[in-house]
Amino acid sequence: MVDSTHGTSPQQASAVPSPSSSQPDQTFYTWSTFFSILSGQASNAERQKYFDARDILREESDCKRCEKHRDYLFKYSPTVNFMRSEVSKLGGDLNSSNVQCKRCDTQQSGGFDLNYGILLCANQFRNRGHVEDTMAHEMVHAWDYLRFKVDNNNLRHQACTEIRAATLSGECRFIREFFTRNQWKITQQLQECVRRRATLSVMARPNCKDEAHATRMVNEVWDSCFSDTRPFDEIYR
């Protein structure tokens, strides 16, 4: 995601992760495997099986916690309520019926689809602040799609909405970068974070060739999209 990246093709319905129907392999969800992971002795396959089993077994509680955070943020978050109002002005309606918490099989924290709404990946969240950043990110995408008629097949469009969502959601503020992603640079920290996350998101698009292609798309729209703070007056998170 990486730090549960929002943008692994979040706008494309085919790329929005869905819950798996497979049964958990509980032979890997043990204290032995857990301590092997802590000590660095577990293989990547063992690590993945452990976390897959954990997510399946904790799915119900993860979703309930996610829904509790979502409902709280709809009531009390200034950012979420502002974006909800701005989306409404464009004819959209974001509510608990189309902002849904599900277990995801990929390392992303959320996704957006114009026809279905916002997906919150319940098994990826650290805390309510993480849910708030994700909701804000996806709400920026929703606003962009309604305001600018974003083309899913146009990588420049995709790069622009990813730049704006990373900039305005608060996910790239210094404290988040410092404590959760071990990014300790101070100079140009915001810009570097936004570039990194936007590039990762564009790379996940089916029509993106490679990292160099994604980087070029981000660079081509950077000046206009990074400076565009609509519907906010300025970057404040």
Side-chain angles (χ1 to χ4, degrees):
M1 306 204 350
V2 222
D3 173 47
S4 297
T5 306
H6 305 276
T8 305
S9 301
Q11 290 78 30
Q12 300 176 354
S14 61
V16 174
S18 60
S20 169
S21 59
S22 61
Q23 295 299 314
D25 186 348
Q26 295 192 43
T27 61
F28 282 87
Y29 191 60
T30 64
W31 282 110
S32 176
T33 307
F34 175 71
F35 284 117
S36 294
I37 292 172
L38 285 182
S39 63
Q41 297 177 1
S43 67
N44 288 336
E46 289 173 330
R47 287 173 55 89
Q48 190 59 52
K49 287 184 178 180
Y50 174 87
F51 289 116
D52 287 347
R54 180 202 63 180
D55 288 347
I56 293 172
L57 291 168
R58 291 169 42 177
E59 180 173 4
E60 183 177 358
S61 62
D62 283 345
C63 287
K64 285 183 178 179
R65 182 174 60 253
C66 172
E67 289 167 356
K68 181 179 179 180
H69 290 330
R70 175 203 63 195
D71 294 345
Y72 177 94
L73 293 167
F74 269 134
K75 288 182 179 180
Y76 301 114
S77 168
T79 302
V80 168
N81 279 285
F82 174 77
M83 285 306 305
R84 187 181 189 181
S85 174
E86 293 301 309
V87 167
S88 178
K89 292 176 184 177
L90 297 177
D93 180 22
L94 293 173
N95 54 68
S96 58
S97 69
N98 58 18
V99 179
Q100 299 189 18
C101 295
K102 303 289 184 181
R103 176 174 59 82
C104 299
D105 295 328
T106 57
Q107 295 300 307
Q108 65 191 91
S109 58
F112 169 74
D113 185 277
L114 188 60
N115 296 314
Y116 298 102
I118 290 173
L119 171 68
L120 300 176
C121 293
N123 53 316
Q124 299 294 342
F125 294 121
R126 295 181 295 274
N127 50 45
R128 190 169 65 208
H130 191 187
V131 179
E132 183 177 29
D133 287 350
T134 301
M135 288 179 67
H137 181 112
E138 304 306 339
M139 285 176 157
V140 172
H141 284 320
W143 193 88
D144 282 359
Y145 267 69
L146 292 170
R147 174 66 176 79
F148 301 120
K149 313 303 179 187
V150 178
D151 183 351
N152 281 333
N153 297 313
N154 187 318
L155 286 181
R156 290 179 179 82
H157 286 195
Q158 296 301 310
C160 189
T161 190
E162 291 298 345
I163 289 169
R164 283 174 36 75
T167 302
L168 300 173
S169 65
E171 66 192 54
C172 277
R173 59 189 179 276
F174 178 75
I175 193 169
R176 174 57 55 83
E177 284 281 275
F178 186 92
F179 286 109
T180 66
R181 303 184 190 118
N182 295 323
Q183 299 293 327
W184 299 328
K185 295 181 180 179
I186 296 178
T187 305
Q188 298 292 304
Q189 174 273 328
L190 173 63
Q191 290 88 332
E192 289 190 15
C193 172
V194 171
R195 283 184 184 276
R196 182 179 73 251
R197 295 175 71 78
T199 300
L200 286 171
S201 296
V202 174
M203 281 174 62
R205 299 299 190 278
N207 52 338
C208 182
K209 299 175 183 177
D210 50 30
E211 184 176 358
H213 189 194
T215 300
R216 187 169 73 254
M217 294 298 99
V218 169
N219 287 340
E220 287 183 3
V221 300
W222 176 262
D223 289 342
S224 60
C225 297
F226 181 74
S227 62
D228 184 356
T229 64
R230 291 176 290 177
F232 297 95
D233 292 329
E234 60 185 6
I235 301 170
Y236 76 96
R237 293 197 79 218

